[in-house]
């Protein structure tokens, strides 16, 4: 038995050194308990924890909830957030939470009262030089495996361009969301960096 285990370990080491993903399943680092938070939010965070972070936040007690948070510099000084509108939009006071001034939107999905998806979108004027630079930053921030284990994805009408890594029922998807804008000289592509961290198992359970 010891010899078999030793042989498997050597085989895995060989595959890793030769840039093959065959042993990736043995070293997956996607885990809710150890995945670093994004902007202070983490998978599995409860409805009550969200209310504790933002005074006055009214999160519906429903099996499925979507929230879209964005920074605002015009809310009263004594107010953390605006009332949640009918489709889940809420403004966050950037004088209380300056980190929200650095993003465009934060989307949260809650299944059975717990966060199952976190999506951050940054402005097109963000600090990263390229999509590859952004993906490397995401991998480092979330302590994810080497970028060579990520699956590249091209933009289609239904999905954004980027790359993803999936295991243990969790998925991280990041990249640039390209939108055609307009300038005086004609059409121009705007690139909005985004990162999504999702508990696929919780979402599959909801859609059954």
């Amino acid at each position: 038995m010891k010899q078999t285990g030793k042989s498997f370990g050597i085989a895995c080491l060989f595959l890793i050194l030769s840039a093959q993903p065959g042993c990736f399943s043995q070293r997956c680092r996607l885990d809710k308990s150890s995945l670093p938070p994004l902007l202070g939010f983490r998978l599995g965070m409860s409805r009550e924890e969200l209310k504790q972070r933002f005074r006055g936040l009214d999160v519906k007690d429903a099996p499925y909830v979507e929230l879209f948070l964005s920074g605002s510099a015009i809310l009263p000084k004594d107010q953390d957030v605006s009332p949640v509108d009918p489709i889940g939009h809420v403004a966050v006071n950037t004088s209380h939470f300056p980190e929200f001034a650095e993003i465009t939107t934060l989307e949260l999905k809650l299944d059975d009262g717990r966060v199952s998806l976190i999506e951050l979108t940054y402005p097109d004027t963000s600090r990263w030089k390229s999509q590859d630079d952004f993906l490397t930053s995401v991998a480092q921030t979330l302590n994810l495996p080497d970028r060579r284990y990520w699956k590249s994805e091209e933009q289609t009408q239904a999905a954004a361009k980027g790359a993803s890594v999936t295991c243990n029922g969790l998925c991280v998807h990041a990249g640039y969301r390209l939108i055609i804008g307009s300038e005086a000289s004609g059409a121009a592509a705007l690139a909005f960096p985004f990162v999504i961290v999702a508990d696929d198992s919780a979402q599959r359970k909801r859609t059954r």
Side-chain angles (χ1 to χ4, degrees):
M1 181 64 71
K2 291 183 179 180
Q3 183 64 35
T4 301
K6 183 177 180 181
S7 299
F8 179 77
I10 293 173
C12 265
L13 178 61
F14 175 78
L15 287 173
I16 291 170
L17 292 176
S18 55
Q20 297 299 320
C23 290
F24 174 54
S25 61
Q26 303 298 322
R27 56 195 296 272
C28 177
R29 299 180 187 176
L30 279 180
D31 183 271
K32 279 194 291 187
S33 63
S34 60
L35 196 65
L38 280 175
L39 216 68
F41 298 89
R42 67 182 189 281
L43 294 179
M45 197 172 188
S46 69
R47 180 188 296 111
E48 289 69 29
E49 288 176 297
L50 292 176
K51 291 180 178 180
Q52 289 173 9
R53 181 171 181 184
F54 301 107
R55 293 173 301 164
L57 179 64
D58 182 19
V59 184
K60 292 188 297 183
D61 185 3
Y64 177 67
V65 176
E66 289 186 354
L67 292 174
F68 304 90
L69 296 88
S70 56
S72 171
I74 61 173
L75 288 175
K77 292 182 178 179
D78 62 346
Q79 192 173 342
D80 276 0
V81 294
S82 69
V84 182
D85 75 9
I87 58 176
H89 289 104
V90 55
V92 177
N93 195 331
T94 53
S95 67
H96 296 185
F97 304 93
E99 62 270 26
F100 275 82
E102 301 177 4
I103 66 167
T104 301
T105 57
L106 164 71
E107 179 180 354
L108 299 175
K109 292 183 180 180
L110 285 76
D111 282 286
D112 296 325
R114 293 194 174 274
V115 173
S116 61
L117 180 143
I118 304 165
E119 178 173 353
L120 284 178
T121 302
Y122 297 87
D124 66 313
T125 55
S126 296
R127 60 186 180 274
W128 297 281
K129 298 177 181 179
S130 65
Q131 176 175 266
D132 193 62
D133 185 30
F134 176 66
L135 290 172
T136 298
S137 175
V138 170
Q140 293 173 345
T141 299
L142 297 180
N143 297 326
L144 292 177
D146 191 293
R147 276 281 317 283
R148 64 187 172 186
Y149 294 107
W150 289 49
K151 177 184 177 183
S152 296
E153 300 170 348
E154 292 299 322
Q155 176 166 303
T156 66
Q157 290 184 344
K161 183 178 181 182
S164 63
V165 58
T166 303
C167 61
N168 291 337
L170 305 179
C171 179
V172 173
H173 182 199
Y176 277 10
R177 184 170 288 113
L178 302 178
I179 298 175
I180 303 300
S182 60
E183 294 182 347
S185 58
L190 303 177
F192 296 89
F194 73 93
V195 55
I196 301 171
V197 177
D199 183 345
D200 284 350
S201 58
Q203 297 187 68
R204 283 196 297 268
K205 181 180 178 182
R206 167 169 44 87
T207 58
R208 285 177 183 172

